[in-house]
Amino acid sequence: MKQVVILGYPLMHSVSPAFQQAAFDHLGLGVTYNAWETEPADLEAALERLRQDLFLGANVTIPHKEATLAHMDDVDKAARDIGAVNTVVRRDGRLIGYNTDYEGFLRALRVPMPSVMGKRAILLGAGGAARAVGYALVRESIGTLVIANRNRQRAEALAKQLWRFHSVRTMTVPMGMDDPRLPEAINRCHLLVNATPVGMAHTTAEGQTPVPQGWLASRTIVFDLVYNPERTALLQAAMAAGAKAWGGLDMLVHQGALSFELWTGQPAPLAVMFKAAREALGQ
Ligand code: NAP
């Protein structure tokens, strides 16, 4: 019996164990997927344990994606460029770090927006998920990327980093509700991505939207990385504004499917994973 684990803190509401276990069981691979709730001080020891034969690898989630990078024997180029690891694969006792968030995001985005080339997007947030989304958008030749984050310095650092990779036009605007630059920037964008946890169930920002309905235009595609609830307050505002609204569940399952394929070398049973994820979320 082999094992895969997820390392994060807290992990109580993670749906990854439900849909990853369903995938392993469906293919009869004899693998168990376990949640290891791991405080930051215990991360290094948890990663060391993964070197044992028993393990195929791990998923890594908040708050460990950046810290994990330093403990890998090797890191895939995309994960290194993004600066975060969400998937660890054990090969011959060595730990290799990958990032499947960016490709998972692109696979999910392709449905509402088949190409971002030359388009204008605004990204809310500048944390780990925003870095993966920003990387995905500049790699796909977005025309202009505007970043808005509570901590403006973090937004500026991300904008600079992304510009260095692909020389795409990047800029920042303040996140403040009283500053006209944010609604102006939103109004001019084809795509808005929420990469903050605002609206996420079981958090203090549950039920809230990072931007009000009045700022959204009907031509904008609104993609919320938050996947619980299925229809966040932001997505409801987008629909009320006549915009196309897309939730984070597709990205969640696609990034998980890519991790599954890295651990097993087999195609992930996507339909099984989607069904199990929806059931775990009570959808
Ligand atoms: P993170 O690294 O902790 O970053 C959080 C970001 O959100 C930061 O930019 C932070 O701003 C901002 N933020 C936090 N609380 C805020 C608030 N009340 N108002 C405005 N901005 C706020 O987290 P992460 O890993 O990037 O994850 C962000 C969200 O994406 C989470 O809800 C996570 O579940 C979701 N996510 C979904 C998927 C998926 O597959 N669907 C994948 C990854 C992440 P400051 O810099 O100012 O603190």
Side-chain angles (χ1 to χ4, degrees):
M1 196 84 169
K2 293 282 185 186
Q3 268 195 52
V4 176
V5 300
I6 178 166
L7 306 175
Y9 192 85
L11 277 179
M12 207 180 7
H13 301 294
S14 173
V15 292
S16 293
F19 73 78
Q20 293 288 7
Q21 191 62 60
F24 287 123
D25 292 349
H26 178 76
L27 295 180
L29 297 180
V31 176
T32 56
Y33 187 100
N34 298 310
W36 282 2
E37 200 159 67
T38 307
E39 294 199 36
D42 301 325
L43 176 66
E44 189 173 355
L47 289 168
E48 271 310 303
R49 278 180 71 191
L50 294 180
R51 293 182 186 280
Q52 298 166 33
D53 271 355
L54 177 68
F55 296 98
L56 297 180
N59 272 138
V60 179
T61 188
I62 295 177
H64 301 316
K65 289 185 188 180
E66 286 134 60
T68 295
L69 198 97
H71 301 292
M72 297 292 98
D73 299 312
D74 204 354
V75 179
D76 168 70
K77 182 175 180 327
R80 189 170 297 286
D81 285 349
I82 293 164
V85 163
N86 79 331
T87 304
V88 179
V89 179
R90 191 186 68 82
R91 271 191 208 115
D92 304 324
R94 299 178 79 243
L95 300 183
I96 325 286
Y98 293 87
N99 189 306
T100 65
D101 278 337
Y102 89 93
E103 180 62 32
F105 167 73
L106 281 178
R107 287 188 183 186
L109 181 66
R110 263 176 215 134
V111 180
M113 197 172 198
S115 168
V116 300
M117 194 180 284
K119 297 269 174 35
R120 210 180 154 91
I122 182 158
L123 178 55
L124 308 179
R131 287 222 300 271
V133 168
Y135 178 81
L137 292 174
V138 299
R139 264 190 56 151
E140 295 293 298
S141 304
I142 192 99
T144 302
L145 180 62
V146 184
I147 302 170
N149 191 47
R150 216 170 37 175
N151 176 336
R152 184 94 186 259
Q153 281 173 336
R154 224 174 157 193
E156 275 163 11
L158 177 59
K160 258 193 214 131
Q161 183 196 355
L162 293 172
W163 181 83
R164 273 202 302 272
F165 287 144
H166 291 278
S167 303
V168 159
R169 191 170 143 80
T170 54
M171 61 181 81
T172 67
V173 290
M175 189 72 162
M177 290 295 138
D178 303 327
D179 193 309
R181 284 172 287 180
L182 182 57
E184 275 165 24
I186 290 173
N187 190 262
R188 295 175 61 203
C189 282
H190 305 98
L191 172 68
L192 178 148
V193 181
N194 176 36
T196 78
V198 176
M200 185 81 173
H202 314 296
T203 69
T204 51
E206 179 167 5
Q208 294 175 22
T209 168
V211 296
Q213 183 187 322
W215 292 4
L216 300 169
S218 61
R219 66 169 182 285
T220 310
I221 293 171
V222 176
F223 193 113
D224 198 342
L225 260 53
V226 172
Y227 51 83
N228 189 14
E230 188 178 17
R231 281 195 183 172
T232 60
L234 172 63
L235 295 181
Q236 288 176 36
M239 286 185 283
K244 217 182 250 183
W246 217 260
L249 183 70
D250 289 10
M251 172 179 171
L252 179 76
V253 173
H254 280 298
Q255 62 78 30
L258 288 157
S259 303
F260 182 93
E261 288 170 5
L262 285 167
W263 299 317
T264 64
Q266 299 201 31
L270 263 181
V272 170
M273 295 172 101
F274 268 108
K275 183 170 177 283
R278 287 207 173 89
E279 278 170 9
L281 288 166
Q283 292 172 6

